[in-house]
Amino acid sequence: MKRVDHIGIAVKSISETLPYYTETLGIPLLGTEDVPTQGLKVAFLDAGNVKLELLEPVSEDSAVAKFLEKRGEGVHHIAFGVADIQERMNELKEHGVRLLSDEPRPGAGGAQVAFMHPKSSFGVLYELCDKSGKQE
Ligand code: CMX
């Protein structure tokens, strides 16, 4: 894992949160996107060497809705940018890391993504994010 692509931050409302990031902190908005496969609306911000991804649940049974209910707003996950995501997943599995799926799934921004269970990553939800096959 050589590069952090983005940090995911769970929020109740993107529209209420955005002015803090764009105006108070001066971090430019890259764009917003619906991610129906995850029950989410997301906003990406350009924090220079890393992106921030604001995550707003649009469905009550999404992972982020559950997170907000249990833990409140805050840092939700850290995403490593990788190539050859299936190979990286296989390597992690060989090292005993518990992955949340056997194969990568479509995520925000046209990426293929996979998650490591926080219980096998010392309390952190890590994402692998592969944009190498992305259609521009
Ligand atoms: N970071 C760290 N720990 C977390 C966590 C998170 N984001 N989410 C849950 N946990 C912890 C909980 O605190 C709990 O720990 P305790 O047992 O000590 O209390 C444990 O993991 C189990 O949590 P849970 O509330 O019972 O939640 P679930 O097992 O139902 O789900 C998880 C947890 C990680 C499997 C689920 O959130 C998931 O499948 N995540 C992957 C998908 C996802 O997060 N998508 C959103 C981002 C998508 C995107 O970026 O596009």
Side-chain angles (χ1 to χ4, degrees):
M1 305 302 149
K2 295 196 173 96
R3 184 177 69 84
V4 173
D5 181 82
H6 64 267
I7 298 171
I9 299 165
V11 300
K12 289 180 195 154
S13 160
I14 285 176
S15 61
E16 283 176 22
T17 313
L18 259 187
Y20 172 72
Y21 284 94
T22 57
E23 291 164 28
T24 308
L25 301 184
I27 303 176
L29 174 68
L30 290 168
T32 59
E33 184 183 336
D34 291 322
V35 190
T37 50
Q38 299 278 345
L40 288 177
K41 180 178 173 188
V42 305
F44 280 102
L45 296 130
D46 181 3
N49 59 342
V50 71
K51 291 190 283 291
L52 302 181
E53 181 189 30
L54 305 182
L55 308 153
E56 175 189 328
V58 292
S59 108
E60 277 178 20
D61 55 4
S62 79
V64 176
K66 199 169 171 192
F67 178 91
L68 283 171
E69 201 180 297
K70 278 182 89 170
R71 297 177 149 214
E73 293 179 306
V75 173
H76 178 263
H77 67 267
I78 295 176
F80 292 113
V82 299
D84 303 317
I85 187 168
Q86 187 68 64
E87 280 178 40
R88 299 289 85 74
M89 291 171 74
N90 295 344
E91 286 165 7
L92 289 167
K93 264 193 262 182
E94 282 167 21
H95 283 87
V97 176
R98 184 171 151 202
L99 295 167
L100 293 174
S101 62
D102 289 328
E103 291 176 358
R105 303 209 166 128
Q112 291 291 311
V113 302
F115 292 87
M116 301 176 217
H117 198 287
K119 289 289 171 195
S120 71
S121 300
F122 299 91
V124 181
L125 177 60
Y126 283 115
E127 175 185 331
L128 303 181
C129 173
D130 184 349
K131 293 183 185 154
S132 48
K134 186 180 156 191
Q135 307 290 313
E136 295 290 351

